[in-house]
DNA sequence: TATTGTTATACTCTATAACTATA
DNA sequence: TATAGTTATAGAGTATAACAATA
C-alpha cells in the first residue's frame, strides 16, 4: 500500500504553458482523481484504508452474503486480483469469507463486528474531512452537479 | 501499451446495491476517468497515441526548446520514467532530443515535422470524436462547468 | 461440462537510488 | 558540489491462463 502520493500542479512554478492541455477532459480528470485519492488516503491514514478497500467494505455491508465473484465484478475488480485484497481485509479481521452451504464452491462475504465499526468510523471521516472539503471548494449545488455528471460519464460515455 | 481497457458498470446486471458508493467522489471520478481514457484510446487507435503521449506532444509543441526535466515535471512524470516514453516517441520520429549548446547536459525537446502532422491529426480526432462525445452527453455549458470544476479540484483540493 | 476461488505470471505505472557527463 | 539524463529496480495495479474443488 502506498501512503505517499505524488500530485503535480496544473499551475507550475516555471513559465511553461499548458495550452490546450488545461481543456483536455482526460487530463483534468486524471489530475483531479489523483488529488482526490491523495486527500482520501490522508483522511483515512488513521484507519489505513485505501479507496479500493473502502469501496469493498461499503459494498459488502450493503450486500451481505454475496460471494467474491459478485462483489469483485461489481467493483470492476478481476477475481484473481480480489484474492489478495480479501486476504488483507480478512487478516485485519475486517471481513470474513464463509463457505456457502448452498454451493460449496462459493465464499460468502460478510463484515466482522470490527469491520462494521471501522467502516462506520471511515464513513464519518470521509463525510467530515473528505467530502466536506469538496463542499467548501465547490458549494453543495456544484458538488451534486459534479457527481451527477461524473456518474453519467461513467455510465454512458 | 495496452489497447484494451476494462471498464465496469456503475449499473450492474445482477441486483447488487451500490449504496453510498454511487455518491463517493473518488469512486465516480475513477470510473469516469477509466471510461474517458478508454474512449480516448479508441478514438486514437489509428494514430496509436495514449493520453500521456498526446499530452507530451501537446506540451512540447506549445513549449519548444524546453528540456526533459521541465516537460516531465510539468506533466507530473518522473524523469526516470520519461526516458522510455521519449525513446518511444523518438523511435516513431514524432519528437527529437537535441543536445543543448548552452548546457551540454540538457536535451532540448522539439517536435519533428511528422510529429507536428500527427499531433494536428490527433487534435482533430480528439475534437471531433472524443470531446464532441462529451458535448453530446452533457451539453456545451455543462461540459465547460465540468472541466472548470475538475481543474479547480486538481489545483486546490 | 461449467463455475468458484486460487495460483502463477506478465505488463504497465509509478517510485527511489545511484551512475555518467557535464556544470 | 550540484544538476540532467539515464539505468536498475521495486512496488502497486491490472490482465490472462490454468488448476483444484465443486456443481
Amino acid at each position: 500500500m502506498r501512503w505517499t502520493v505524488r500530485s503535480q500542479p496544473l499551475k507550475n512554478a516555471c513559465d511553461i504553458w499548458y495550452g490546450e492541455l488545461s481543456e483536455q477532459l482526460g487530463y483534468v480528470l486524471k489530475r483531479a482523481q489523483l488529488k482526490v485519492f491523495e486527500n482520501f488516503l490522508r483522511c483515512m491514514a488513521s484507519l489505513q484504508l485505501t479507496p479500493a478497500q473502502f469501496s469493498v467494505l461499503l459494498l459488502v455491508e450493503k450486500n451481505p452474503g454475496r460471494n467474491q465473484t459478485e462483489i469483485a465484478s461489481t467493483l470492476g475488480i478481476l477475481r484473481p486480483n480480489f484474492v489478495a485484497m480479501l486476504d488483507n481485509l480478512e487478516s485485519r479481521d475486517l471481513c470474513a469469507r464463509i463457505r456457502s452451504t448452498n454451493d460449496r464452491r462459493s465464499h460468502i462475504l460478510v463484515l466482522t463486528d470490527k469491520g462494521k465499526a471501522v467502516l462506520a468510523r471511515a464513513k464519518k471521516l470521509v463525510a467530515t474531512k473528505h467530502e466536506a472539503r469538496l463542499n467548501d471548494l465547490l458549494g453543495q449545488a456544484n458538488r451534486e452537479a459534479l457527481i451527477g455528471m461524473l456518474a453519467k460519464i461513467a455510465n454512458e460515455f
Side-chain angles (χ1 to χ4, degrees), chain A residues 107-122:
Chain A
H107 289 168
I108 290 317
L109 298 180
V110 292
L111 294 192
T112 62
D113 288 344
K114 183 181 171 196
K116 289 174 192 166
V118 166
L119 180 56
R121 286 211 285 154

Side-chain angles (χ1 to χ4, degrees), chain A residues 56-72 82 86 95-103 105-112 116:
Chain A
V56 170
L57 295 183
L58 270 183
L59 208 60
V60 172
E61 182 195 48
K62 186 77 179 177
N63 304 273
R66 296 303 194 131
N67 68 24
Q68 295 185 197
T69 298
E70 291 169 320
I71 298 293
F82 199 43
L86 276 184
C95 79
R97 292 184 246 224
I98 304 175
R99 196 116 241 168
S100 166
T101 49
N102 300 337
D103 183 342
R105 292 171 304 184
S106 291
H107 289 168
I108 290 317
L109 298 180
V110 292
L111 294 192
T112 62
K116 289 174 192 166

Side-chain angles (χ1 to χ4, degrees), chain A residues 31-134:
Chain A
R31 288 253 94 91
Q33 183 256 306
L34 288 174
K35 271 292 185 78
V36 166
F37 271 44
E38 177 183 12
N39 181 271
F40 185 99
L41 288 174
R42 273 199 307 270
C43 295
M44 291 301 218
S46 61
L47 297 178
Q48 296 273 303
L49 284 181
T50 64
Q53 292 169 334
F54 180 65
S55 70
V56 170
L57 295 183
L58 270 183
L59 208 60
V60 172
E61 182 195 48
K62 186 77 179 177
N63 304 273
R66 296 303 194 131
N67 68 24
Q68 295 185 197
T69 298
E70 291 169 320
I71 298 293
S73 77
T74 302
L75 290 172
I77 302 171
L78 294 172
R79 272 76 80 212
N81 299 330
F82 199 43
V83 174
M85 254 191 98
L86 276 184
D87 288 348
N88 178 308
L89 294 175
E90 205 172 16
S91 73
R92 294 159 68 185
D93 191 31
L94 298 178
C95 79
R97 292 184 246 224
I98 304 175
R99 196 116 241 168
S100 166
T101 49
N102 300 337
D103 183 342
R104 289 180 44 75
R105 292 171 304 184
S106 291
H107 289 168
I108 290 317
L109 298 180
V110 292
L111 294 192
T112 62
D113 288 344
K114 183 181 171 196
K116 289 174 192 166
V118 166
L119 180 56
R121 286 211 285 154
K123 284 184 190 176
K124 268 184 199 148
L125 285 177
V126 167
T128 59
K129 290 199 196 303
H130 184 65
E131 299 276 356
R133 181 119 178 63
L134 186 64

